[in-house]
Amino acid sequence: MANQEDNLFKNVISHAKEYGFIFPSSEIYDGLSAVYDYGQNGAELKNNIKEYWWKFMTLLHDNIVGIDAAIFMHPTTWKASGHVDAFNDPMVDNKDSKKRYRADVLVEDAIAKMEEKIDKEVEKAAKRFGESFDAAMFKSTNPRVLEYQKKIDETNARLKDAMSNGDMAGMKQLIIDLEITDPVSGTKNWTDVRQFNLMFSTEIGSLAEDASKIYLRPETAQGIFVNFLNVQKTGRMKIPFGIAQIGKAFRNEIVARQFIFRMREFEQMEMQFFVKPGEEMKWYEFWKEKRLKWHLALGLGNDNYRYHDHLNLAHYANAACDIQFNFPMGFKELEGIHSRTDFDLKSHEKYSGKKLQYFDPEDTQNFIPYVVETSVGLDRCFLGILSKSYQEEKLEDGSDRVVLRIPAPLAPNKVAILPLTKKDGLPEKAQAIMNDLKYDLRCFYEEKDAIGKRYRRQDAIGTPYCITIDHQTLEDDTVTIRDRDSMKQERVRIADVRSKLIDACSINNLLRKI
Ligand code: GAP
């Protein structure tokens, strides 16, 4: 990560803590690695993101319904889904630093370094040759670049081979051959590479003798698959239809870093769309486009999103891509869109012995539907919104301000109600305005400190509007509304405030933009 972005990320993290968005979990005991709590402002922002997603799925699509399945599921679920046998990451320890790493990530980092070397060669040559420089030609002919590229291709092929065959000895050999050193100890003193299952387990049952091992779900999707027939029959759903769900998922990530980007307890917003076999590619394209539009409507900048198609598909998928977001540490996965074929339902059929098929009334046939899945991390959406909203500004009068330009419909508070002084009946007037607004908009009331200081505090938590009640208010029933982004103030009749603010802060209006 470049230094400037590194600093920005650090500032975002400390701002999130200082202003009640995110706290380290159980901080008084020095925290728990890769687990975080959402504070008073974070919980509001998170709930608003959920509402935006839930309404998009279940209000705008009359063939999608939502459920809320339990976190604990019958242990056979995870056998059928493949998680017991294959939800592994390769893990390696450095014997000197005692630090633990994901072996595949160490290799990927080594590949990235080789790619950087190519970029440096190209940069140097571009300087040397000036305007006549042809980068593509240089890359395809320069012996040094060709050598690096050959090594990258070989490494990629060996990595793919080791990962898909579960060949941990091959993975270790790759680390040795690439001469990878531990960034902490600087040594190459590695343990063997071992497979590490990412699922957390616990025991259900009150007596030791009849307790049995169960897992905390590593994805919400399986709660949807096992309820496929329940929902289809009770909801009389006709294919194509979708089931949506928001909920917690748990993964014992080997290396959980980068704040809330990779956590051990996190939240997913997933939707499984059940379609006729053969029609899945049409729906895969449909959902790719729809989901990107959902993100773009937030207005964080179209350039901050891109598709990343998977070249190495999981055994159950016939197409898969990520929507990546430009996080402070670069473009990374925000959402996955996967065409999962009939893998999950078929496997649950096999393990449960229950038929999980759809009867098509038109051609009077039973079949196992194919599934297109959209799966977005709620916490990653949060991080994307928070990090792009965070701005440090130098104002015309030379002062500084930190502002969170959170899209108004998602902001924790929509409006701050600020009587100019604590006397002359201004607080009473302000309270009356708040009592009228609070049913529709989340309000924040404050009368302490100078008005400029209060504006800054609201900027820092992303409140899009501040209403100031002054002496003129008592005379003509008008207030000023200050806009967070432009800092402009406008005088408005109290009678018009509600409709004006509801319009700007409504999630439903945001949905209309998609
Ligand atoms: N059902 C499919 C599935 O779970 P995934 O790509 O493993 O697919 C989907 O996860 C999304 O969940 C990711 O795109 C990411 O946004 C989020 N996610 C996954 N692991 C996470 C973690 N450890 N911390 C935070 N979010 C995570």
Side-chain angles (χ1 to χ4, degrees):
M1 213 188 317
N3 243 353
Q4 208 180 350
E5 280 131 27
D6 206 4
N7 281 342
L8 173 78
F9 198 17
K10 280 191 189 138
N11 292 350
V12 169
I13 295 169
S14 56
H15 189 87
K17 181 167 176 234
E18 194 180 336
Y19 287 92
F21 284 86
I22 298 170
F23 307 124
S25 160
S26 33
E27 197 190 5
I28 57 167
Y29 297 106
D30 295 334
L32 182 65
S33 166
V35 185
Y36 290 90
D37 296 338
Y38 284 80
Q40 67 281 14
N41 289 320
E44 292 293 337
L45 172 55
K46 203 176 175 197
N47 282 340
N48 293 338
I49 300 171
K50 283 193 215 181
E51 187 183 337
Y52 176 46
W53 184 88
W54 188 263
K55 283 187 162 173
F56 169 72
M57 285 297 175
T58 64
L59 284 189
L60 301 198
H61 302 94
D62 58 8
N63 57 353
I64 298 182
V65 289
I67 65 164
D68 185 13
I71 286 170
F72 291 141
M73 299 183 71
H74 192 284
T76 311
T77 308
W78 306 110
K79 199 74 198 147
S81 67
H83 284 82
V84 171
D85 296 322
F87 196 50
N88 300 320
D89 276 343
M91 171 176 85
V92 66
D93 294 340
N94 182 271
K95 290 182 195 165
D96 300 315
S97 70
K98 312 270 184 275
K99 290 268 172 212
R100 179 159 286 176
Y101 298 90
R102 259 177 68 176
D104 55 330
V105 172
L106 286 178
V107 173
E108 278 166 7
D109 287 349
I111 293 172
K113 275 191 194 139
M114 291 186 246
E115 283 167 345
E116 271 169 32
K117 283 184 182 161
I118 293 185
D119 291 344
K120 278 206 183 112
E121 292 292 336
V122 173
E123 236 173 75
K124 265 196 306 192
K127 270 195 199 136
R128 222 172 34 239
F129 292 111
E131 275 185 8
S132 62
F133 180 63
D134 180 342
M137 169 76 96
F138 178 79
K139 279 191 191 168
S140 63
T141 53
N142 180 275
R144 207 172 295 157
V145 170
L146 289 175
E147 204 177 301
Y148 287 137
Q149 192 56 53
K150 185 164 166 246
K151 197 163 177 196
I152 289 172
D153 294 342
E154 278 169 8
T155 309
N156 268 323
R158 284 178 66 187
L159 176 64
K160 187 179 167 202
D161 195 50
M163 289 297 281
S164 49
N165 297 322
D167 174 10
M168 296 300 103
M171 190 67 100
K172 167 104 186 245
Q173 197 54 48
L174 196 46
I175 290 175
I176 295 168
D177 293 348
L178 290 169
E179 300 185 349
I180 294 175
T181 53
D182 175 14
V184 178
S185 67
T187 71
K188 297 175 198 146
N189 197 6
W190 299 106
T191 61
D192 285 344
V193 180
R194 284 157 294 153
Q195 291 279 28
F196 179 77
N197 192 286
L198 300 183
M199 280 197 295
F200 283 102
S201 64
T202 184
E203 300 210 321
I204 201 162
S206 53
L207 297 172
E209 55 270 27
D210 48 54
S212 59
K213 184 171 170 181
I214 55 164
Y215 298 99
L216 294 176
R217 67 181 177 200
E219 62 170 10
T220 57
Q222 297 304 323
I224 292 178
F225 287 123
V226 299
N227 278 300
F228 157 72
L229 261 197
N230 283 340
V231 174
Q232 191 271 317
K233 288 211 176 336
T234 57
R236 300 168 64 231
M237 308 300 289
K238 302 264 176 306
I239 267 178
F241 74 91
I243 304 179
Q245 178 170 217
I246 300 176
K248 291 263 182 171
F250 303 82
R251 295 183 189 176
N252 198 2
E253 299 282 358
I254 296 174
V255 186
R257 276 199 237 111
Q258 296 170 325
F259 195 36
I260 57 170
F261 181 81
R262 194 176 301 286
M263 293 196 287
R264 297 205 163 101
E265 173 180 341
F266 58 100
E267 236 167 311
Q268 291 185 314
M269 306 191 285
E270 297 200 297
M271 193 275 298
Q272 317 296 132
F273 201 68
F274 300 90
V275 305
K276 239 185 184 168
E279 293 190 354
E280 70 276 13
M281 288 320 290
K282 178 179 92 185
W283 289 110
Y284 171 73
E285 293 302 331
F286 174 89
W287 282 109
K288 252 176 96 167
E289 196 187 320
K290 276 259 168 168
R291 291 301 306 145
L292 184 62
K293 282 190 175 157
W294 181 89
H295 290 288
L296 295 183
L298 291 174
L300 301 175
N302 294 7
D303 292 350
N304 288 318
Y305 299 85
R306 70 182 186 199
Y307 289 122
H308 172 75
D309 290 322
H310 290 201
L311 299 176
N312 304 325
L313 294 174
H315 58 284
Y316 53 78
N318 61 4
C321 87
D322 297 335
I323 294 177
Q324 293 187 332
F325 183 74
N326 190 10
F327 289 100
M329 59 284 187
F331 273 97
K332 301 252 177 208
E333 176 183 346
L334 169 65
E335 169 154 7
I337 294 138
H338 313 123
S339 172
R340 293 180 75 126
T341 66
D342 57 357
F343 171 83
D344 301 86
L345 288 179
K346 212 179 196 169
S347 188
H348 284 304
E349 230 189 39
K350 182 173 141 212
Y351 277 84
S352 67
K354 309 271 167 27
K355 249 189 164 188
L356 293 177
Q357 302 194 0
Y358 175 78
F359 176 73
D360 192 332
E362 271 164 30
D363 52 17
T364 62
Q365 275 196 337
N366 281 312
F367 62 85
I368 300 180
Y370 270 41
V371 171
V372 175
E373 163 185 79
T374 73
S375 175
V376 61
L378 174 55
D379 313 271
R380 287 196 190 173
C381 281
F382 188 109
L383 179 59
I385 292 165
L386 188 71
S387 58
K388 279 288 169 283
S389 303
Y390 177 92
Q391 279 164 22
E392 296 168 1
E393 293 180 349
K394 197 129 227 71
L395 303 181
E396 275 173 14
D397 64 3
S399 64
D400 300 309
R401 80 160 177 163
V402 172
V403 55
L404 290 185
R405 294 175 186 269
I406 299 173
L410 303 186
N413 298 310
K414 307 299 188 239
V415 52
I417 315 262
L418 312 173
L420 193 61
T421 67
K422 283 189 207 167
K423 44 184 205 273
D424 304 334
L426 296 185
E428 290 76 9
K429 188 76 183 167
Q431 286 288 353
I433 294 173
M434 175 144 160
N435 282 339
D436 181 45
L437 292 182
K438 71 182 178 191
Y439 298 95
D440 299 301
L441 297 161
R442 193 159 199 288
C443 302
F444 183 96
Y445 180 85
E446 195 173 39
E447 46 185 50
K448 195 174 166 285
D449 288 331
I451 194 75
K453 238 181 175 177
R454 283 185 268 166
Y455 285 155
R456 284 290 177 282
R457 281 203 289 267
Q458 294 306 316
D459 289 343
I461 56 172
T463 309
Y465 299 103
C466 289
I467 294 181
T468 309
I469 293 90
D470 55 18
H471 291 93
Q472 191 182 327
T473 310
L474 301 179
E475 286 160 23
D476 64 4
D477 265 338
T478 63
V479 290
T480 61
I481 299 184
R482 173 190 181 268
D483 180 280
R484 173 196 70 198
D485 297 340
S486 66
M487 293 190 291
K488 294 229 163 71
Q489 301 194 23
E490 138 182 58
R491 195 110 212 149
V492 177
R493 285 175 348 117
I494 292 175
D496 298 335
V497 167
R498 226 166 117 244
S499 63
K500 191 176 162 64
L501 295 191
I502 287 178
D503 225 32
C505 298
S506 139
I507 286 189
N508 295 352
N509 283 350
L510 184 58
L511 287 165
R512 278 178 218 280
K513 287 192 198 161
I514 299 174

